[in-house]
Amino acid sequence: MNQSKTQDFLFQKIKTLKGFGVKIKKLLKKKKIDKISDLLWQLPEGFTDRTNTQKLNKLEIGKVTTIKVQATKYNFPRIRNLPSKVICEDETGKIDIVFFNSREGYIKKILPLNEKTIISGKINFFKNRYQMTNPQYMVPSNKEDYVNKIIPKYGLTEGLTEKVYRKLIDQVLEKVSNLKEWHSNDIVKKLGNVEWQNSICNLHKDKSNDINSKYYRRIAYDEILANLLVLSQVRQRIKKFKKIKKKFDESLSRKIIINFNFSLTENQRKAINEINNDIKSEFKMFRLLQGDVGSGKTIVAFTAAANVIKSNWQVALMAPTEILANQHYQLALKIFKFTNVNIKILTGKTDIKEKKNIYEDLGNGKINFLIGTHSLFQKKTNFNKLGLIIIDEQHKFGVKQRIELSNKGGKNCDILLMSATPIPRTLILSTYGDMDVSRILEKPVNRKNIITLSKPENKIDEIIVYIKKKISQGTQIFWVCPLIEESKKLDYSAAVEKYKSLSNIFKDRVGLIHGNLKKDEKNVVLNKFLNKSYDILVSTTVIEVGIDFPNANVIIIENSNKFGLSQLHQIRGRVGRGKEQGTCILLYKNNLSINAKKRLRILKSSNDGFLIAEEDMNLRGFGDVLGYQQSGIKLYKIADPIHHKDLFEIAEEDIKNIELNENNFKKYNFLLKLFDKADIVNQISLEKTI
Ligand code: ADP
Ligand code: MG
């Protein structure tokens, strides 16, 4: 097959392959195999070695084994539904081959008496005898070559047999002739000089390949680069949108900054500069402001807002929850108090009359700054001249959602996304490569590290004494209940139990919040905690991360080894946001595993979200770290950021070179298609949607 034919072939639907019925196609669909290329990524999970036949006195129970035997006696049941049995022997022993649901004629044909047959299957032991039930293979010994192979094992769906599946994949591998190399010579050399076709065939056929083999690494690199390429293209496209330049002077934002009762950190200043330069430029801003919890992102965003407002454009800020929106709103009122900036809040709770006024004043430009939840972006909100959208992102946005966001304001609208999700270094580019990134790596100087302690659960009496003392000193307490095996129902009952037992001691000074509450009910509880009607707030993991509870400085996290490190770090970030010292107590059940101990130790010794994310990934494997499994955004199916760290580094360099010459991108079209990434870039539009 020539080059372009191979390419077409790979993107054809699976149903164009020959020799398979509707049933198989349905099963493949269940495994999300739709195009022929999808088959390639289902790498074997292991291999069965059939190259050696085993003598019957050397059998191991439970192992898939190939034997060469002759049938000596048939034993067909007189009662239906009982299995048939064939006694077989070699010179060293005997074995029963057992068949369920097979007819006599078939068995006699496939296992003729006194003829050597090669049989492969799993060895069992039953009533003092070896047996094999429904063998995978039975062939006459003169066809030995056929059985004596190393055979790949795939993760199969019920009903899809290995034989059928292998026939499929063999058909495909046979047809993929080599394709013109898309990587530069330099890169190919770094990858060990292996070609694509050779690599993919090897991974399906040769059992000596593991995640570090050069064939595996070649394919992993392809995937990493495809990911970076698509993000790079998104970024370049968005940044090429010419916009009306915003002319501003920094007089307003300077005044705001002077009024803070603290001075900005170096990183905050740098971020403000980067953002200002983007806003002033003739190209659309598409920037991420990344910083750990409590690093002071909000202030940075507000100075950007001030500058945009000063240049006569409107600004919208979207927060993930009502309470957070309200908190931002209150802060904005304070910060902009001495100016004539008109600020309004719009959430699901805003009453109809007020909403109407807001819509009107947005349309005529009287409102300069609108803060709210996602109700900001409903059809009825029509801005007069929207120049900046700021998103305080607590939820995880994937690249597609970010593109949607960029589309929303049209080409004149700058975009600033804030994120506190700590990301291991290797993954930064593949997570956020579509945006320019400003990072705040340092904490405000007056900020003390959160003191983190761990205690076994049976010391709870000591904890109660401790929090009583803290409460008497005017501190409020978060009490986070364990995550029980991902079950919301159990999470809930654990929190209710804890609420009851703490209420016995602290009476009506305890509040409870959990995922089953409605939004409004949650807000009531959170507000009561904010205005100090409660001393203790018991919660499942649902409490909002970004809210400032300046008076809550102790957090107790139960069964802490059930959480991921990054998650624990974010949860504890709820305390210690003000001037007071924050304390976090990690409770654990006795008999912690070594790994669990290690994790708690990391948390106790570090307050750096990025370092913690890195360690978390090393301990748990990368799949879990970013919560991709839950959010359904899985970044990689082949590559592994832990094992292939060096490949990520090579790709970072590679992408810089590729970006230097735009024509280069065309070379990689096939690669993008291969990894299902070709369509993403086309979703970028210039049209305004709000
Ligand atoms: P986050 O990055 O988590 O959104 P915030 O912007 O909410 O953090 O800031 C957390 C707290 O730190 C706020 O109370 C804010 O006023 C304060 N803060 C921000 N920058 C500084 C600074 N440079 N020095 C001291 N405190 C600061
Ligand atoms: Mg925040």
Side-chain angles (χ1 to χ4, degrees), residues 262-265 268 293-298 444 446-447 548 577:
F262 49 76
S263 52
L264 294 172
T265 62
Q268 280 174 316
V293 275
S295 60
K297 296 183 290 293
T298 319
N446 63 357
R447 188 74 39 80
D548 260 341
R577 290 169 75 88

Side-chain angles (χ1 to χ4, degrees), residues 202-333:
N202 247 292
L203 291 181
H204 281 279
K205 295 285 178 201
D206 183 354
K207 75 165 184 170
S208 63
N209 287 308
D210 64 9
I211 195 165
N212 292 316
S213 83
K214 60 183 175 187
Y215 303 111
Y216 196 101
R217 282 166 56 85
R218 154 77 210 223
I219 302 294
Y221 189 78
D222 279 341
E223 187 182 27
I224 297 166
L225 194 71
N227 226 327
L228 299 195
L229 276 168
V230 74
L231 294 173
S232 160
Q233 272 190 294
V234 169
R235 177 161 49 90
Q236 301 213 335
R237 275 241 196 149
I238 289 180
K239 281 182 59 180
K240 226 175 261 138
F241 290 159
K242 283 218 172 172
K243 71 177 186 213
I244 303 171
K245 274 199 219 176
K246 298 185 175 81
K247 291 196 192 83
F248 64 82
D249 57 77
E250 289 175 44
S251 56
L252 182 61
S253 63
R254 285 220 184 89
K255 267 193 227 157
I256 286 178
I257 291 170
I258 287 167
N259 272 330
F260 293 153
N261 53 3
F262 49 76
S263 52
L264 294 172
T265 62
E266 222 21 70
N267 283 183
Q268 280 174 316
R269 277 180 214 283
K270 188 159 166 263
I272 289 174
N273 258 334
E274 288 166 345
I275 294 167
N276 282 348
N277 287 338
D278 280 358
I279 293 173
K280 280 189 273 195
S281 91
E282 56 180 331
F283 300 106
K284 182 178 164 104
M285 169 165 82
F286 195 46
R287 185 173 284 278
L288 173 79
L289 177 58
Q290 194 188 25
D292 210 347
V293 275
S295 60
K297 296 183 290 293
T298 319
I299 300 295
V300 172
F302 279 5
T303 60
N307 289 332
V308 172
I309 292 165
K310 183 80 204 272
S311 66
N312 281 323
W313 289 82
Q314 292 168 302
V315 176
L317 183 147
M318 183 175 101
T321 65
E322 183 109 30
I323 291 233
L324 214 48
N326 206 17
Q327 208 156 58
H328 286 328
Y329 174 63
Q330 298 302 335
L331 183 63
L333 287 180

Side-chain angles (χ1 to χ4, degrees), residues 9 12-21 24-25 36 164 167-168 171-172 175:
F9 167 72
Q12 277 166 21
K13 296 278 182 199
I14 204 95
K15 61 177 176 235
T16 56
L17 284 177
K18 283 184 209 91
F20 306 97
I24 301 293
K25 278 159 199 160
I36 289 175
V164 170
K167 214 166 113 196
L168 264 171
Q171 236 188 94
V172 177
K175 283 193 194 139

